[in-house]
Amino acid sequence: MKRLPSNLKLIGGYAIYFVLILILYKAAFLWVYSYRLEGAETKDVLWAILVGLRFDISVIGMILGPFAFLSCLPYINRFKFFNFFWGYFPILISVWMLSHLIADIVYFENANKHIGYEGFVFIGKDMGVILKSAFEQNPFLAVVASLLVLVFLPLSTYLFLKFNPYKHEPESWKRDSILSFVVLVSVVFAIRGGVQETPLRASNAIVSGHSFVNNIALNGVFTSIMDLKSQSIPNYLKLETKESVRIVREEISYEGAEFIGKKYPLLRKQKQTNNGKPPNIVLILLENWTGKFIDPISDGKVFGKELTPNFNKLLRKGKFYTRFFASGGRTTNGMMSILTGLPDRPGLTVVRTHQVLGNFSGIGNIFKGLGYDTFFVTGGDLSFDNKATLMPHWGFDSVLGEKEIAKLNRFKIGAWGYDDADVLQVLHEKISESKKPFLGVSLTLSTHYPYRAPDPKFRIFKEDERDFEYLNVYHYADWALKDFMDRAEKSKYFDNTIFVFVADHTHHRYLDYYEDRNIPFLIYSPGRILPAIDDRDASQLDVIPTILGLVGKEAYFSAMGRNLLAPKKTESAYFAYGNLIGWIESDLFYIHFVDGNRNLKYSAKGQREEVSLCDTEARICDSHFNKARAFLNLSHELMNQNLVFPTKEELERKEY
């Protein structure tokens, strides 16, 4: 160690420290999620841990490599400020790294993937909402974590200032020049994950058909950085726009709406089929409602108790879809698909980019153009995920969130915001006041993590029953929905209203690949919709076209879905979430990774397992792959070019 330059002693010490952090993280991750290893082979788990070393080394190269290089530069290190910068900054990075990895462990439970861009974008105005939730859910742990950060920073700063081993040696410029080159090359190889042709990608973590095992090698720091980098479509997924348009149009065509746009290839005109009074629309976005707990997707019972007795009764009076799939995995993904008819992209959500400011035929805009009053009500902070900006942009004139409901001084706030019964009561009161046809949309909240039922009477599951917190709050949410419908049925608006219920995504915990996409979708309108159970494949992208078909008024819209009630239509579902895209159709559940040219094939019906169908029927996989990348490319291109929907002036002049 005496011959080792003092700068490398310090950098080497940091490297060992970061290695220890990542080892402890991996051990904690496996301990917390050991229940997910059911069905996994030991050799696959061990191999995943070994593969994970590449990702850990890559992360250390990313966050420590630049400082290692700076420490070797000759001449400039004679300035104390400069060597203080590269010497001290890794301490600050380590604080972020620890916090980020802890957040990743928590996030994985509720997202079924490692943390991505969220780890960065929530640092800002949304951080207050996150911290509030943390203190609500586990105040002791939150306080301890805060104290650790508050103690660690001043203590580590003191130790650095007192024991920093670095001493600048002016005569060693030749050695430093060589070292800087060697360190630079080493860092590049570390970040790339080796000397292979392509850099390390998340898809390199795939070692088996077991989805959790394929996540063991990864860590939240790597996935977050990759999320921010991966904003363009890789070459192996690219498809010419003309071909994408052809495939998408063919997939989403149906009787009753015709494509009329050339400049705007998704633009369609809904034909008028209703010359009478326009119906009201109530659209409820059900936060975190997982489909597997609903009867008839299953028997609806968990530990012998019916979880959603009220919704199970209601759906038998309407049209319910058992094979309905979420187009994403977070609320922003669900809102994009349901409220605009366009899928969000993998990686960084469009909601966090300038593209969201483009012209969309949002459901609010469509119905406002038909003379409707438009309402959006949620119990959470509207600043979270930019709802305060998005909802008016998507056509909602009246937008109410946590602050607006608080001003009423009528309700008690819950763990994440106002609870469902209170939010739906506010929605009911607002739409009851409307003098025109209305579109009333509500995003529920109680089933969002942290799960806390507002009253003990809803806590029917015991602490020793798996997922009891979520199940209890799901049971409450079911009651809240009944409470709302009881009010609605007594109202003046009920007879002329179409009620639509759809989840934004599943809760992601204890679910297989199919269950993680499967969500409830119900259309309820006595006298308009005959009761039926529909087992055909569909997705959130179909919500807007289906509602427009039910309303039956002439309208212009751009959406990548179909009217599910129209004859002669396709049956399929596209999704994009994290680092993958996928296509569900017939017997095949197809997944393709966007950060590596690899795919996974599972059964979409019957026993849940990997299938070798593509080995004997390659055309089926090719079809799924081409449809998925057509949806990815076209949505990406149209949002990039702001060619989703024409302006009001362009529509009037027919410049589309």
Side-chain angles (χ1 to χ4, degrees):
M1 289 291 289
K2 289 183 178 180
R3 294 184 179 180
L4 189 68
S6 58
N7 60 319
L8 293 188
K9 288 181 182 179
L10 182 59
I11 294 297
Y14 284 139
I16 293 170
Y17 174 50
F18 286 171
V19 166
L20 289 173
I21 290 176
L22 288 165
I23 288 173
L24 289 172
Y25 157 79
K26 191 73 68 182
F29 183 78
L30 286 169
W31 178 69
V32 170
Y33 297 113
S34 57
Y35 69 87
R36 295 194 183 214
L37 290 171
E38 184 179 346
E41 294 187 26
T42 303
K43 63 179 179 62
D44 290 338
V45 174
L46 293 175
W47 181 239
I49 293 171
L50 287 174
V51 171
L53 295 176
R54 292 181 69 195
F55 291 93
D56 294 345
I57 292 170
S58 179
V59 162
I60 293 171
M62 290 179 198
I63 60 180
L64 191 58
F67 302 109
F69 176 71
L70 292 176
S71 75
C72 297
L73 293 177
Y75 299 117
I76 197 170
N77 268 297
R78 66 176 183 261
F79 298 109
K80 289 186 177 180
F81 172 78
F82 184 77
N83 55 61
F84 176 82
F85 169 74
W86 64 254
Y88 179 71
F89 212 80
I91 293 174
L92 301 180
I93 293 288
S94 72
V95 174
W96 167 80
M97 185 177 175
L98 275 167
S99 305
H100 199 82
L101 291 173
I102 292 170
D104 179 56
I105 292 174
V106 175
Y107 181 84
F108 192 92
E109 177 80 326
N110 301 287
N112 208 31
K113 75 177 188 75
H114 288 280
I115 197 167
Y117 70 91
E118 304 93 340
F120 297 112
V121 298
F122 288 153
I123 299 174
K125 61 182 181 181
D126 292 338
M127 182 56 72
V129 181
I130 302 293
L131 291 176
K132 175 188 171 186
S133 172
F135 277 90
E136 286 274 358
Q137 177 68 11
N138 196 326
F140 175 76
L141 186 61
V143 169
V144 170
S146 300
L147 287 175
L148 278 175
V149 172
L150 291 173
V151 171
F152 176 80
L153 264 179
L155 180 61
S156 58
T157 301
Y158 168 77
L159 293 174
F160 170 77
L161 293 173
K162 186 169 184 179
F163 299 107
N164 179 9
Y166 179 72
K167 291 182 176 58
H168 178 59
E169 301 173 22
E171 69 281 359
S172 63
W173 66 270
K174 289 183 180 180
R175 182 201 66 189
D176 290 345
S177 298
I178 295 171
L179 269 180
S180 62
F181 175 76
V182 172
V183 167
L184 181 61
V185 171
S186 301
V187 167
V188 169
F189 280 124
I191 294 173
R192 294 185 83 260
V195 296
Q196 71 283 347
E197 185 178 347
T198 58
L200 189 65
R201 298 186 176 103
S203 56
N204 293 124
I206 300 172
V207 297
S208 79
H210 195 288
S211 60
F212 177 72
V213 171
N214 291 335
N215 276 283
I216 291 174
L218 299 170
N219 63 69
V221 176
F222 182 87
T223 51
S224 292
I225 293 172
M226 290 300 106
D227 245 18
L228 293 181
K229 286 177 60 181
S230 304
Q231 298 310 313
S232 59
I233 297 176
N235 289 331
Y236 54 84
L237 287 177
K238 283 184 178 177
L239 198 63
E240 289 186 5
T241 301
K242 185 177 180 181
E243 180 65 3
S244 295
V245 170
R246 182 192 68 77
I247 292 173
V248 170
R249 280 188 169 186
E250 187 176 290
E251 189 64 28
I252 65 176
S253 294
Y254 61 89
E255 292 182 17
E258 61 176 330
F259 290 102
I260 60 171
K262 186 175 181 181
K263 180 180 179 182
Y264 297 90
L266 288 179
L267 180 63
R268 281 185 277 186
K269 182 180 180 181
Q270 164 76 41
K271 297 176 182 177
Q272 180 138 331
T273 57
N274 173 19
N275 295 317
K277 186 179 180 180
N280 305 307
I281 302 295
V282 169
L283 172 60
I284 309 297
L285 277 61
L286 304 166
E287 172 67 39
N288 259 2
W289 275 46
T290 298
K292 71 175 286 187
F293 300 118
I294 305 294
D295 176 13
I297 294 176
S298 68
D299 65 3
K301 293 183 179 179
V302 186
F303 300 113
K305 305 162 192 171
E306 189 174 13
L307 184 62
T308 58
N310 301 300
F311 190 72
N312 293 343
K313 290 176 185 175
L314 183 67
L315 69 84
R316 282 165 172 78
K317 300 176 185 177
K319 192 172 182 68
F320 183 74
Y321 292 78
T322 61
R323 292 178 59 82
F324 194 85
F325 301 99
S327 303
R330 292 192 66 249
T331 298
T332 49
N333 310 144
M335 288 195 307
M336 275 287 298
S337 300
I338 297 167
L339 301 182
T340 76
L342 260 72
D344 208 345
R345 62 192 185 192
L348 179 63
T349 173
V350 172
V351 169
R352 296 282 178 173
T353 72
H354 68 282
Q355 293 170 342
V356 78
L357 300 177
N359 208 32
F360 292 86
S361 64
I363 193 170
N365 289 319
I366 296 170
F367 280 89
K368 191 159 62 171
L370 294 174
Y372 281 57
D373 281 337
T374 54
F375 303 89
F376 178 86
V377 183
T378 187
D381 192 329
L382 291 173
S383 66
F384 192 76
D385 280 335
N386 295 328
K387 294 184 191 73
T389 302
L390 286 180
M391 295 309 139
H393 183 59
W394 290 345
F396 293 95
D397 288 327
S398 181
V399 180
L400 288 85
E402 181 182 309
K403 292 179 182 177
E404 291 72 22
I405 295 175
K407 292 176 183 177
L408 301 175
N409 292 317
R410 292 167 55 192
F411 309 110
K412 182 182 178 181
I413 198 165
W416 189 253
Y418 286 97
D419 285 309
D420 293 358
D422 301 331
V423 171
L424 293 174
Q425 183 178 338
V426 172
L427 174 68
H428 167 73
E429 292 170 357
K430 285 294 178 182
I431 60 181
S432 296
E433 296 169 359
S434 179
K435 304 300 182 184
K436 299 192 294 184
F438 61 77
L439 165 70
V441 177
S442 182
L443 171 64
T444 64
L445 204 67
S446 297
T447 36
H448 192 290
Y449 182 86
Y451 309 122
R452 192 174 68 186
D455 192 293
K457 68 181 180 182
F458 299 110
R459 298 167 195 165
I460 63 173
F461 295 94
K462 300 175 182 178
E463 292 187 11
D464 60 350
E465 293 175 316
R466 190 173 77 170
D467 222 7
F468 73 96
E469 309 108 312
Y470 171 73
L471 297 174
N472 284 330
V473 81
Y474 201 156
H475 187 62
Y476 159 75
D478 173 70
W479 171 85
L481 217 55
K482 177 185 182 298
D483 182 64
F484 170 72
M485 291 307 299
D486 287 345
R487 295 174 195 273
E489 287 173 2
K490 298 172 186 174
S491 72
K492 294 179 180 179
Y493 66 75
F494 180 77
D495 290 338
N496 190 42
T497 299
I498 299 168
F499 296 86
V500 180
F501 305 89
V502 59
D504 59 349
H505 54 82
T506 68
H507 81 306
H508 300 303
R509 294 163 72 168
Y510 311 104
L511 306 176
D512 63 34
Y513 64 89
Y514 180 93
E515 294 167 343
D516 196 39
R517 302 255 64 79
N518 189 206
I519 57 174
F521 178 58
L522 169 65
I523 308 170
Y524 172 66
S525 186
R528 276 191 178 83
I529 300 294
L530 294 175
I533 303 296
D534 197 313
D535 297 322
R536 292 173 291 183
D537 295 342
S539 82
Q540 292 169 331
L541 298 174
D542 301 317
V543 172
I544 286 180
T546 301
I547 291 175
L548 287 177
L550 283 165
V551 170
K553 295 296 183 180
E554 181 179 287
Y556 295 88
F557 71 100
S558 292
M560 297 179 78
R562 306 142 297 192
N563 175 4
L564 298 179
L565 303 176
K568 299 179 181 178
K569 59 173 181 56
T570 56
E571 301 167 19
S572 57
Y574 166 77
F575 62 90
Y577 180 46
N579 65 330
L580 53 85
I581 59 173
W583 192 263
I584 305 167
E585 186 177 357
S586 188
D587 296 329
L588 182 61
F589 190 111
Y590 181 86
I591 293 171
H592 205 102
F593 292 88
V594 298
D595 61 352
N597 197 9
R598 304 183 69 175
N599 58 59
L600 294 171
K601 288 86 64 178
Y602 296 104
S603 57
K605 295 179 180 177
Q607 187 174 345
R608 309 276 165 76
E609 59 185 358
E610 270 198 286
V611 294
S612 56
L613 178 67
C614 299
D615 296 336
T616 55
E617 297 284 349
R619 60 178 181 79
I620 295 177
C621 273
D622 291 342
S623 173
H624 278 57
F625 174 56
N626 285 327
K627 288 178 181 180
R629 65 179 181 148
F631 271 64
L632 171 66
N633 278 266
L634 188 58
S635 58
H636 192 278
E637 180 65 18
L638 296 185
M639 284 189 279
N640 270 344
Q641 300 297 324
N642 195 17
L643 293 176
V644 174
F645 193 71
T647 63
K648 184 178 179 180
E649 293 73 25
E650 286 177 312
L651 269 178
E652 291 173 351
R653 295 193 298 264
K654 296 187 177 181
E655 296 176 353
Y656 43 71

